[in-house]
Amino acid sequence: MPIAKPNGESPIPDWSEIIHYGLNTREPGDDLEPHYHDANEYWFIISGRGTCITEGDSYEIGPGDMVLTRMGDEHSLVAHERMVSVYAYGPLKPGGVFGHLHR
């Protein structure tokens, strides 16, 4: 069983359905701009609370929640408390671009 490290020291194996992941810490009032991805994205909320907006719908999120964002769906986040989350990306669509994309 391989162990991946977020700094790239130990890469994610080619067979994994997760192609990238990381740990985020957001401070109260941090506002993540509306964006989308060429991959499905998953947020696992460890601590803190905030509001996630996706495709025009607003959700209050907190510890233990998982936000599942479909490829191409525009989403954003506002932190109300110091928020720690882990995020992971699924495979890129054919010809897709990695990172935050904007309309």
Side-chain angles (χ1 to χ4, degrees), residues 34-49:
H35 64 282
Y36 67 96
H37 304 280
D38 281 346
N40 296 329
E41 182 184 32
Y42 308 90
W43 299 345
F44 304 89
I45 310 305
I46 307 302
S47 63
R49 299 200 176 275

PDB file of all heavy atoms in Angstrom, residues 34-49:
ATOM      1  N   PRO A  34     -15.442  32.147  -7.157  1.00  0.00           N
ATOM      2  CA  PRO A  34     -16.150  31.156  -7.972  1.00  0.00           C
ATOM      3  C   PRO A  34     -15.212  30.592  -9.051  1.00  0.00           C
ATOM      4  O   PRO A  34     -14.519  31.355  -9.734  1.00  0.00           O
ATOM      5  CB  PRO A  34     -17.296  31.940  -8.603  1.00  0.00           C
ATOM      6  CG  PRO A  34     -17.492  33.118  -7.707  1.00  0.00           C
ATOM      7  CD  PRO A  34     -16.123  33.445  -7.179  1.00  0.00           C
ATOM      8  N   HIS A  35     -15.200  29.281  -9.162  1.00  0.00           N
ATOM      9  CA  HIS A  35     -14.350  28.605 -10.129  1.00  0.00           C
ATOM     10  C   HIS A  35     -14.915  27.212 -10.402  1.00  0.00           C
ATOM     11  O   HIS A  35     -15.858  26.788  -9.746  1.00  0.00           O
ATOM     12  CB  HIS A  35     -12.909  28.502  -9.612  1.00  0.00           C
ATOM     13  CG  HIS A  35     -12.782  27.655  -8.386  1.00  0.00           C
ATOM     14  ND1 HIS A  35     -13.120  28.099  -7.120  1.00  0.00           N
ATOM     15  CD2 HIS A  35     -12.409  26.362  -8.233  1.00  0.00           C
ATOM     16  CE1 HIS A  35     -12.935  27.122  -6.253  1.00  0.00           C
ATOM     17  NE2 HIS A  35     -12.505  26.044  -6.896  1.00  0.00           N
ATOM     18  N   TYR A  36     -14.317  26.511 -11.347  1.00  0.00           N
ATOM     19  CA  TYR A  36     -14.705  25.131 -11.628  1.00  0.00           C
ATOM     20  C   TYR A  36     -13.452  24.352 -11.984  1.00  0.00           C
ATOM     21  O   TYR A  36     -12.352  24.922 -12.095  1.00  0.00           O
ATOM     22  CB  TYR A  36     -15.755  25.057 -12.748  1.00  0.00           C
ATOM     23  CG  TYR A  36     -15.255  25.482 -14.106  1.00  0.00           C
ATOM     24  CD1 TYR A  36     -14.807  24.531 -15.020  1.00  0.00           C
ATOM     25  CD2 TYR A  36     -15.226  26.817 -14.479  1.00  0.00           C
ATOM     26  CE1 TYR A  36     -14.340  24.917 -16.266  1.00  0.00           C
ATOM     27  CE2 TYR A  36     -14.764  27.203 -15.716  1.00  0.00           C
ATOM     28  CZ  TYR A  36     -14.321  26.246 -16.603  1.00  0.00           C
ATOM     29  OH  TYR A  36     -13.853  26.629 -17.834  1.00  0.00           O
ATOM     30  N   HIS A  37     -13.594  23.045 -12.143  1.00  0.00           N
ATOM     31  CA  HIS A  37     -12.466  22.175 -12.472  1.00  0.00           C
ATOM     32  C   HIS A  37     -12.836  21.240 -13.610  1.00  0.00           C
ATOM     33  O   HIS A  37     -14.009  20.935 -13.829  1.00  0.00           O
ATOM     34  CB  HIS A  37     -12.078  21.310 -11.261  1.00  0.00           C
ATOM     35  CG  HIS A  37     -11.764  22.098 -10.041  1.00  0.00           C
ATOM     36  ND1 HIS A  37     -10.559  22.714  -9.841  1.00  0.00           N
ATOM     37  CD2 HIS A  37     -12.517  22.383  -8.953  1.00  0.00           C
ATOM     38  CE1 HIS A  37     -10.572  23.345  -8.676  1.00  0.00           C
ATOM     39  NE2 HIS A  37     -11.758  23.159  -8.120  1.00  0.00           N
ATOM     40  N   ASP A  38     -11.820  20.749 -14.288  1.00  0.00           N
ATOM     41  CA  ASP A  38     -11.994  19.720 -15.316  1.00  0.00           C
ATOM     42  C   ASP A  38     -11.893  18.324 -14.705  1.00  0.00           C
ATOM     43  O   ASP A  38     -11.514  17.358 -15.367  1.00  0.00           O
ATOM     44  CB  ASP A  38     -10.953  19.893 -16.429  1.00  0.00           C
ATOM     45  CG  ASP A  38     -11.304  20.992 -17.414  1.00  0.00           C
ATOM     46  OD1 ASP A  38     -12.468  21.444 -17.410  1.00  0.00           O
ATOM     47  OD2 ASP A  38     -10.419  21.398 -18.194  1.00  0.00           O
ATOM     48  N   ALA A  39     -12.211  18.228 -13.416  1.00  0.00           N
ATOM     49  CA  ALA A  39     -12.232  16.957 -12.681  1.00  0.00           C
ATOM     50  C   ALA A  39     -13.263  17.082 -11.569  1.00  0.00           C
ATOM     51  O   ALA A  39     -13.600  18.203 -11.159  1.00  0.00           O
ATOM     52  CB  ALA A  39     -10.859  16.651 -12.085  1.00  0.00           C
ATOM     53  N   ASN A  40     -13.761  15.969 -11.083  1.00  0.00           N
ATOM     54  CA  ASN A  40     -14.593  16.005  -9.878  1.00  0.00           C
ATOM     55  C   ASN A  40     -13.692  16.397  -8.708  1.00  0.00           C
ATOM     56  O   ASN A  40     -12.516  16.032  -8.671  1.00  0.00           O
ATOM     57  CB  ASN A  40     -15.217  14.641  -9.606  1.00  0.00           C
ATOM     58  CG  ASN A  40     -16.178  14.216 -10.697  1.00  0.00           C
ATOM     59  OD1 ASN A  40     -16.827  15.039 -11.333  1.00  0.00           O
ATOM     60  ND2 ASN A  40     -16.270  12.922 -10.920  1.00  0.00           N
ATOM     61  N   GLU A  41     -14.260  17.150  -7.750  1.00  0.00           N
ATOM     62  CA  GLU A  41     -13.492  17.566  -6.572  1.00  0.00           C
ATOM     63  C   GLU A  41     -14.281  17.217  -5.318  1.00  0.00           C
ATOM     64  O   GLU A  41     -15.501  17.329  -5.293  1.00  0.00           O
ATOM     65  CB  GLU A  41     -13.226  19.080  -6.608  1.00  0.00           C
ATOM     66  CG  GLU A  41     -12.396  19.547  -5.441  1.00  0.00           C
ATOM     67  CD  GLU A  41     -12.202  21.054  -5.410  1.00  0.00           C
ATOM     68  OE1 GLU A  41     -13.112  21.795  -5.846  1.00  0.00           O
ATOM     69  OE2 GLU A  41     -11.150  21.484  -4.936  1.00  0.00           O
ATOM     70  N   TYR A  42     -13.553  16.822  -4.282  1.00  0.00           N
ATOM     71  CA  TYR A  42     -14.158  16.423  -3.008  1.00  0.00           C
ATOM     72  C   TYR A  42     -13.469  17.187  -1.884  1.00  0.00           C
ATOM     73  O   TYR A  42     -12.244  17.225  -1.824  1.00  0.00           O
ATOM     74  CB  TYR A  42     -13.984  14.912  -2.786  1.00  0.00           C
ATOM     75  CG  TYR A  42     -14.452  14.102  -3.958  1.00  0.00           C
ATOM     76  CD1 TYR A  42     -13.577  13.773  -5.000  1.00  0.00           C
ATOM     77  CD2 TYR A  42     -15.778  13.701  -4.060  1.00  0.00           C
ATOM     78  CE1 TYR A  42     -14.023  13.049  -6.097  1.00  0.00           C
ATOM     79  CE2 TYR A  42     -16.225  12.975  -5.153  1.00  0.00           C
ATOM     80  CZ  TYR A  42     -15.339  12.658  -6.168  1.00  0.00           C
ATOM     81  OH  TYR A  42     -15.785  11.943  -7.254  1.00  0.00           O
ATOM     82  N   TRP A  43     -14.276  17.808  -1.019  1.00  0.00           N
ATOM     83  CA  TRP A  43     -13.748  18.476   0.179  1.00  0.00           C
ATOM     84  C   TRP A  43     -14.224  17.694   1.395  1.00  0.00           C
ATOM     85  O   TRP A  43     -15.407  17.384   1.518  1.00  0.00           O
ATOM     86  CB  TRP A  43     -14.287  19.882   0.343  1.00  0.00           C
ATOM     87  CG  TRP A  43     -14.005  20.871  -0.745  1.00  0.00           C
ATOM     88  CD1 TRP A  43     -13.096  20.789  -1.755  1.00  0.00           C
ATOM     89  CD2 TRP A  43     -14.669  22.126  -0.896  1.00  0.00           C
ATOM     90  NE1 TRP A  43     -13.162  21.903  -2.544  1.00  0.00           N
ATOM     91  CE2 TRP A  43     -14.120  22.742  -2.032  1.00  0.00           C
ATOM     92  CE3 TRP A  43     -15.667  22.780  -0.199  1.00  0.00           C
ATOM     93  CZ2 TRP A  43     -14.545  23.995  -2.470  1.00  0.00           C
ATOM     94  CZ3 TRP A  43     -16.071  24.017  -0.650  1.00  0.00           C
ATOM     95  CH2 TRP A  43     -15.517  24.613  -1.765  1.00  0.00           C
ATOM     96  N   PHE A  44     -13.331  17.403   2.307  1.00  0.00           N
ATOM     97  CA  PHE A  44     -13.651  16.758   3.580  1.00  0.00           C
ATOM     98  C   PHE A  44     -13.388  17.806   4.660  1.00  0.00           C
ATOM     99  O   PHE A  44     -12.239  18.194   4.872  1.00  0.00           O
ATOM    100  CB  PHE A  44     -12.776  15.527   3.798  1.00  0.00           C
ATOM    101  CG  PHE A  44     -12.875  14.529   2.683  1.00  0.00           C
ATOM    102  CD1 PHE A  44     -12.036  14.609   1.576  1.00  0.00           C
ATOM    103  CD2 PHE A  44     -13.818  13.514   2.736  1.00  0.00           C
ATOM    104  CE1 PHE A  44     -12.123  13.690   0.543  1.00  0.00           C
ATOM    105  CE2 PHE A  44     -13.915  12.582   1.706  1.00  0.00           C
ATOM    106  CZ  PHE A  44     -13.073  12.677   0.607  1.00  0.00           C
ATOM    107  N   ILE A  45     -14.451  18.271   5.321  1.00  0.00           N
ATOM    108  CA  ILE A  45     -14.311  19.335   6.319  1.00  0.00           C
ATOM    109  C   ILE A  45     -13.904  18.715   7.646  1.00  0.00           C
ATOM    110  O   ILE A  45     -14.630  17.891   8.212  1.00  0.00           O
ATOM    111  CB  ILE A  45     -15.627  20.138   6.463  1.00  0.00           C
ATOM    112  CG1 ILE A  45     -16.163  20.581   5.091  1.00  0.00           C
ATOM    113  CG2 ILE A  45     -15.420  21.317   7.413  1.00  0.00           C
ATOM    114  CD1 ILE A  45     -15.204  21.371   4.230  1.00  0.00           C
ATOM    115  N   ILE A  46     -12.741  19.115   8.155  1.00  0.00           N
ATOM    116  CA  ILE A  46     -12.197  18.586   9.402  1.00  0.00           C
ATOM    117  C   ILE A  46     -12.657  19.436  10.586  1.00  0.00           C
ATOM    118  O   ILE A  46     -13.095  18.915  11.604  1.00  0.00           O
ATOM    119  CB  ILE A  46     -10.653  18.547   9.355  1.00  0.00           C
ATOM    120  CG1 ILE A  46     -10.156  17.804   8.118  1.00  0.00           C
ATOM    121  CG2 ILE A  46     -10.079  17.972  10.645  1.00  0.00           C
ATOM    122  CD1 ILE A  46     -10.636  16.383   7.971  1.00  0.00           C
ATOM    123  N   SER A  47     -12.555  20.754  10.440  1.00  0.00           N
ATOM    124  CA  SER A  47     -12.976  21.657  11.518  1.00  0.00           C
ATOM    125  C   SER A  47     -13.395  22.989  10.913  1.00  0.00           C
ATOM    126  O   SER A  47     -13.030  23.322   9.794  1.00  0.00           O
ATOM    127  CB  SER A  47     -11.842  21.855  12.527  1.00  0.00           C
ATOM    128  OG  SER A  47     -10.733  22.489  11.907  1.00  0.00           O
ATOM    129  N   GLY A  48     -14.160  23.748  11.693  1.00  0.00           N
ATOM    130  CA  GLY A  48     -14.624  25.057  11.255  1.00  0.00           C
ATOM    131  C   GLY A  48     -15.930  24.981  10.492  1.00  0.00           C
ATOM    132  O   GLY A  48     -16.447  23.905  10.199  1.00  0.00           O
ATOM    133  N   ARG A  49     -16.466  26.165  10.195  1.00  0.00           N
ATOM    134  CA  ARG A  49     -17.743  26.250   9.493  1.00  0.00           C
ATOM    135  C   ARG A  49     -17.646  27.301   8.395  1.00  0.00           C
ATOM    136  O   ARG A  49     -16.846  28.224   8.461  1.00  0.00           O
ATOM    137  CB  ARG A  49     -18.856  26.629  10.459  1.00  0.00           C
ATOM    138  CG  ARG A  49     -19.021  25.591  11.552  1.00  0.00           C
ATOM    139  CD  ARG A  49     -20.367  25.644  12.224  1.00  0.00           C
ATOM    140  NE  ARG A  49     -20.454  24.558  13.186  1.00  0.00           N
ATOM    141  CZ  ARG A  49     -20.814  23.311  12.897  1.00  0.00           C
ATOM    142  NH1 ARG A  49     -21.141  22.990  11.679  1.00  0.00           N
ATOM    143  NH2 ARG A  49     -20.868  22.389  13.832  1.00  0.00           N
TER     144      ARG A  49
END
